[in-house]
Amino acid sequence: DAKTTQPPSMDCAEGRAANLPCNHSTISGNEYVYWYRQIHSQGPQYIIHGLKNNETNEMASLIITEDRKSSTLILPHATLRDTAVYYCIVRVALRGSQGNLIFGKGTKLSVKP
Amino acid sequence: EAGVTQFPSHSVIEKGQTVTLRCDPISGHDNLYWYRRVMGKEIKFLLHFVKESKQDESGMPNNRFLAERTGGTYSTLKVQPAELEDSGVYFCASSQGGGLGGYTFGSGTRLTVV
């Protein structure tokens, strides 16, 4: 079973920031928070990951609460092409570790004109 | 760099037939993973190769599924004989090391068993 909880769906206006929440209250100290998304009929796409510090890359920002029990993925200026299902996943990430990503149901983000 | 390539993109076969899916990972990626989404369900892990060795095959549903990665390059996933419940989308992914920087997924093979 997925160890994260996400809202099933969200809407966002084009050009506005999309803030996608995720609860992971049972996260362990050595588990990272990963975000992937799946645009219709494509494979999942890696977005960003973090351990405890906030992270930013060219796609998004990841804000992790101090107690690490929840996080928020931020798409700063959502476009129609960001419409997708977004998955929040927690996993241990060690060199040579097993690669089992546990996908839940994710959040279906609809970006509207 | 070229991404993860999967072939075929679609396959329709009859129940009882055999199908072989192929995955070409990103060059130099030792880690290769197979996942699948069957109708209405979540994406589930099938197995993980490190080079040519099976690191974890705990997600393989039964012995009708056989995965190989001869030479540690491309991988094949054979389903023999195929059943109706095998219909779904099969994804392959690859990564360097343990995947700390995330995996790169292919576009998947949509398998329909009729």
Side-chain angles (χ1 to χ4, degrees), chain A residues 68-88:
Chain A
R68 303 210 319 125
K69 293 185 176 182
S70 65
S71 60
T72 301
L73 178 75
I74 300 173
L75 307 179
H77 305 287
T79 71
L80 299 179
R81 288 176 294 180
D82 292 320
T83 293
V85 179
Y86 287 76
Y87 297 97
C88 171

Side-chain angles (χ1 to χ4, degrees), chain A residues 3-4 24 26-36 46 49-51 68 88-102, chain B residues 31 33 35 45 48 55-56 95-103:
Chain A
K3 298 197 287 186
T4 63
H24 31 80
T26 61
I27 192 170
S28 300
N30 61 351
E31 287 183 313
Y32 287 69
V33 179
Y34 280 79
W35 284 83
Y36 283 78
Y46 165 79
H49 74 280
L51 184 61
R68 303 210 319 125
C88 171
I89 298 169
V90 297
R91 71 179 279 257
V92 174
L94 301 171
R95 191 178 301 278
S97 73
Q98 296 178 3
N100 190 353
L101 295 176
I102 300 175
Chain B
N31 291 268
Y33 316 86
Y35 286 77
F45 167 79
H48 170 203
Q55 179 81 4
D56 180 1
S95 72
Q96 287 184 321
L100 178 63
Y103 304 163

